[in-house]
Amino acid sequence: MSASLLEQLIESLRVLPGVGQKTAQRMAYHLLEREREGGRHLSAILAESIEKIGHCAQCRDFTEGELCAICASGSRDRHLLCCVESPADRLAIEQATGYRGVYYILQGRLSPLDGIGPRELGLDKLGERLQQGEVSELIIATNPTVEGEATAHYLAQLARQHGVTPSRLAHGVPLGGELEYVDRGTLSHAFGSRSEMV
Amino acid sequence: MSASLLEQLIESLRVLPGVGQKTAQRMAYHLLEREREGGRHLSAILAESIEKIGHCAQCRDFTEGELCAICASGSRDRHLLCCVESPADRLAIEQATGYRGVYYILQGRLSPLDGIGPRELGLDKLGERLQQGEVSELIIATNPTVEGEATAHYLAQLARQHGVTPSRLAHGVPLGGELEYVDRGTLSHAFGSRSEMV
């Protein structure tokens, strides 16, 4: 039937995260009605990205080349290594903080039930890197979920084995948050980790 | 810099409606991490759609061929012509109602300030079609906005000029709606248009 290419377009837009039938329809109509040039560009960039973007040999972040921009840079402090779950987490830290060290991207978290063990996260390679002695502090910035915490403990052990100091991000009440609306776990942790005012 | 292709991908995803910087990032990472095959497919379908999908010669809906599936179908009632603003509106009517007539898609609404007049909506061609005498009723289903209403009045006039009966969708309290939460304009209209119970 003649609508089939449009239907295929709508269907294929649903691979995007958070995009259901209605949104995919709206996107398809929007592209065809008003953004043909942008759509053509998106198609070309998407194909090129999927073909060319691989993982950085050092930190496993996405990159077109052998090394990502941060690992290739001469101005980053290689004694500090920050371990995050995903490239999005790395980007968030990079945008929010003045961190000048380098990163290691797990591309996941330990989850034995899903078959994701240390090897899948490249922790053997991370161990070798810690062994080399250049890194002095491993900043563990996994997410504060059950699996993220388990991963953090594993990473801390790994760091100690190789004589590297593990550290982790502070947990507590978010800035601008109201105590009344902070969840219990966070509040309890913040209360227990209170520090003396100076 | 080595992140540039990824940055270009994120930027180009922003042509999609309702997609800002954060969502585009999430989409790009999702495609690269988990949906490379789907992304490749999306890229191919998108390019093909933009190249091949044009407008139906009769109803201006999107189609790959000369005529869309509905206009080409032999089983639709050509005496009824339903006029909608967009292909999405046509789809909504097609999915919700048992309508068996044909459509005319304006691909917009009268908006003189934006330079959209009768010619831009193809109303000259619609006039010719009404003139031919096959259509007996023009069902006007423009949106109940100021511009949609103006367009509806123009279409009704056009229909009468060619001896075609204009009709429009009923406005009123939506099914399942509560009077308390219905907007004033709708409630006032529904009250004024009350009908005797039989």
Side-chain angles (χ1 to χ4, degrees), chain A residues 2-193:
Chain A
S2 70
S4 65
L5 192 53
L6 181 60
E7 280 163 13
Q8 283 176 52
L9 175 60
I10 291 171
E11 190 52 39
S12 62
L13 280 164
R14 295 186 58 183
V15 299
L16 298 172
V19 173
Q21 179 68 19
K22 278 266 176 184
T23 312
Q25 261 176 33
R26 198 159 63 95
M27 285 176 167
Y29 286 136
H30 179 85
L31 288 171
L32 291 170
E33 273 171 59
R34 277 182 289 265
E35 280 285 1
R36 293 207 172 215
E37 200 40 64
R40 206 171 282 128
H41 185 240
L42 171 58
S43 163
I45 291 283
L46 181 55
E48 195 186 347
S49 297
I50 285 171
E51 191 183 330
K52 293 193 185 161
I53 295 179
H55 293 290
C56 171
Q58 272 186 24
C59 73
R60 312 204 339 150
D61 196 2
F62 292 123
T63 176
E64 302 155 59
E66 168 77 8
L67 292 181
C68 72
I70 291 177
C71 289
S73 160
S75 64
R76 310 286 300 211
D77 182 352
R78 278 157 206 290
H79 300 106
L80 296 175
L81 183 62
C82 177
C83 205
V84 293
E85 289 181 20
S86 73
D89 294 340
R90 181 196 67 72
L91 194 67
I93 291 179
E94 195 68 10
Q95 285 172 348
T97 71
Y99 180 61
R100 299 300 303 161
V102 291
Y103 295 90
Y104 190 83
I105 287 108
L106 300 170
Q107 302 278 10
R109 68 215 79 173
L110 288 179
S111 178
L113 291 178
D114 302 322
I116 299 178
R119 190 200 299 264
E120 281 68 29
L121 301 183
L123 297 189
D124 39 353
K125 275 186 63 185
L126 179 62
E128 288 169 24
R129 185 153 164 200
L130 296 178
Q131 185 61 50
Q132 287 164 16
E134 195 181 28
V135 178
S136 60
E137 180 181 349
L138 182 71
I139 302 168
I140 299 168
T142 54
N143 288 317
T145 58
V146 173
E147 288 165 345
E149 293 287 293
T151 310
H153 281 288
Y154 189 97
L155 288 170
Q157 250 179 343
L158 190 71
R160 284 193 207 96
Q161 270 171 29
H162 296 96
V164 173
T165 313
S167 67
R168 60 186 305 192
L169 301 196
H171 293 311
V173 180
L175 295 190
E178 293 185 56
L179 290 192
E180 187 179 349
Y181 298 110
V182 170
D183 69 286
R184 279 192 201 188
T186 302
L187 192 54
S188 155
H189 184 100
F191 199 83
S193 312

